[in-house]
Amino acid sequence: MPTAAILGFNDAYASVIGGFADMLQVANSHMRKQGTQPTGLFEWHFVSACGQSVRASNGLELAMRPISSDDRYDLVFVPSLHYRGWAEFQRFLTEQVEVRDWLSKQWKAGAWISANCTGTFLLAETGLLNHRTATTTWWLERHFRERFPSVDLQMRPAVTEDERLVCGGAHATFLLQSVRLLNRFVGKAIAMQCARSMLIDLTQTIQTPLQPLIADKSHNDPLIHRAQKWLQDHMAQQIRISELAQMLAVSDRTLIRRFNSTMGQSPLTYLQHLRIDTARALLEAGDLSTEQIAVYVGYSDTASFTRLFRERVGFTPSAYRGRFQFQGTD
């Protein structure tokens, strides 16, 4: 009987905690239909450091049992938590000493550990991901790289797996993680039945098409605010850095240095990402042709635009529209 521990924390997402358990329950249902004996079905426990109930981010109270060094699990799931700012999140990570030690012991005893979205930070805190492949949620990529430089962070795949350590990107990837783990524990047939019955799209294996290229990065640099606004207003034009620097009354070198320091990228890279993100929005919501969109965002050569779009997003513009265009009702 595979046994799973589903960790709980205050401010964790109830949908992820309960959703992962639901996937195990659905797997059990499919196995029962095939005549699997009760000893072959999943058993799971909701656990927390102190064993007290936790309050999920939506206010739902979830009953827990305490973690114990005597318990041995085949699978441990670390859910995502609602992010309320970097300072508060760092405090949370620092406080989880007991949980970190327990996760390390479970893995060393042979357990698989799967962490979702912000939960990947807690798994990385154990040191188990050092020199191993992992992923995390796109909007905390910079913080992850800075805090865990020894982790081989890959932002393209939606789910990574390395030596019984499975990481998922943003929130909803827990469904893909669940299917991946079911395949490991009970086989492909049951995993596929679960995916089909739950309408899980297993073709969405990469995060890139859904990631904004420009992170929502707050800062207090008035010069860069002005630069961003100017780039947005003149996106369709042929832009030279010298022209932007002249408008801001600074040298090219000062502009590039300030932009890199504040935004983590050069002005030209920012402009390129701005154009691609704008093109994605137009493809999702409108019916302009690829040629019209290319011109709108500043590319006179449609072939070059298409090549760059595919390089950054993973799809051609037409394929992206076909997959992600909003289908409203009349």
Side-chain angles (χ1 to χ4, degrees):
M1 176 184 292
T3 57
I6 303 174
L7 278 169
F9 308 96
N10 287 325
D11 236 13
Y13 283 107
S15 58
V16 177
I17 293 176
F20 186 79
D22 289 343
M23 288 297 295
L24 300 182
Q25 187 177 49
V26 170
N28 281 353
S29 295
H30 284 297
M31 287 191 285
R32 287 192 186 96
K33 291 179 182 178
Q34 294 188 0
T36 302
Q37 295 300 310
T39 54
L41 303 179
F42 282 102
E43 177 183 335
W44 57 91
H45 303 146
F46 299 99
V47 301
S48 66
C50 61
Q52 297 178 352
S53 64
V54 299
R55 182 182 291 273
S57 61
N58 61 4
L60 188 65
E61 291 282 345
L62 302 171
M64 297 281 146
R65 65 163 62 182
I67 59 175
S68 169
S69 58
D70 295 330
D71 291 333
R72 161 76 170 84
Y73 290 99
D74 301 296
L75 168 62
V76 179
F77 180 69
V78 184
S80 50
L81 295 89
H82 183 60
Y83 181 75
R84 299 187 185 277
W86 181 234
E88 186 170 337
F89 190 47
Q90 287 184 97
R91 284 195 296 273
F92 164 81
L93 294 173
T94 303
E95 292 167 356
Q96 304 306 312
V97 177
E98 184 179 358
V99 174
R100 293 200 307 265
D101 292 344
W102 182 78
L103 286 172
S104 295
K105 290 176 181 176
Q106 290 294 322
W107 182 81
K108 290 173 182 176
W112 285 68
I113 300 180
S114 184
N116 172 253
C117 190
T118 47
T120 57
F121 279 74
L122 182 54
L123 179 54
E125 285 285 321
T126 66
L128 294 175
L129 291 177
N130 288 348
H131 311 296
R132 294 189 172 100
T133 301
T135 192
T136 192
T137 183
W138 62 267
W139 42 274
L140 289 176
E141 176 186 359
R142 181 175 62 85
H143 285 309
F144 194 102
R145 291 190 186 280
E146 291 174 354
R147 191 175 181 94
F148 310 113
S150 295
V151 177
D152 178 16
L153 186 65
Q154 300 292 325
M155 295 306 298
R156 182 177 173 81
V159 176
T160 60
E161 176 187 325
D162 196 335
E163 295 190 54
R164 292 181 285 109
L165 299 169
V166 179
C167 295
H171 187 97
T173 57
F174 82 88
L175 293 168
L176 297 174
Q177 291 176 272
S178 303
V179 176
R180 173 80 66 98
L181 291 163
L182 290 176
N183 183 48
R184 293 297 186 187
F185 278 90
V186 295
K188 184 176 181 179
I190 294 295
M192 292 301 295
Q193 286 176 350
C194 291
R196 283 194 294 269
S197 62
M198 301 291 281
L199 296 181
I200 300 172
D201 181 6
L202 298 181
T203 66
Q204 188 57 58
T205 58
I206 58 175
Q207 301 185 69
T208 313
L210 300 175
Q211 292 175 7
L213 294 174
I214 298 177
D216 184 13
K217 186 178 177 64
S218 59
H219 62 84
N220 296 313
D221 189 325
L223 176 72
I224 303 307
H225 278 305
R226 290 170 58 206
Q228 289 176 279
K229 179 65 167 57
W230 193 87
L231 289 171
Q232 291 165 8
D233 291 344
H234 298 80
M235 175 176 54
Q237 302 174 12
Q238 296 301 312
I239 295 174
R240 294 181 176 83
I241 291 300
S242 57
E243 181 183 3
L244 175 57
Q246 183 177 12
M247 189 278 299
L248 295 170
V250 296
S251 68
D252 294 11
R253 185 174 180 178
T254 296
L255 173 61
I256 294 170
R257 176 179 55 79
R258 289 271 289 274
F259 215 101
N260 272 307
S261 175
T262 303
M263 301 300 297
Q265 55 190 222
S266 70
L268 285 179
T269 299
Y270 178 87
L271 174 62
Q272 194 175 66
H273 289 172
L274 175 65
R275 285 169 165 169
I276 295 298
D277 275 350
T278 302
R280 286 163 59 168
L282 292 171
L283 289 164
E284 291 166 8
D287 55 4
L288 293 176
S289 68
T290 299
E291 291 76 11
Q292 289 172 314
I293 291 174
V295 172
Y296 185 91
V297 299
Y299 292 95
S300 57
D301 184 346
T302 303
S304 296
F305 165 72
T306 299
R307 187 164 51 252
L308 177 63
F309 190 96
R310 183 170 187 171
E311 175 187 317
R312 296 303 170 89
V313 180
F315 288 91
T316 63
S318 59
Y320 183 89
R321 187 201 299 274
R323 187 174 181 86
F324 297 106
Q325 186 175 48
F326 176 72
Q327 302 295 327
T329 56
D330 295 331

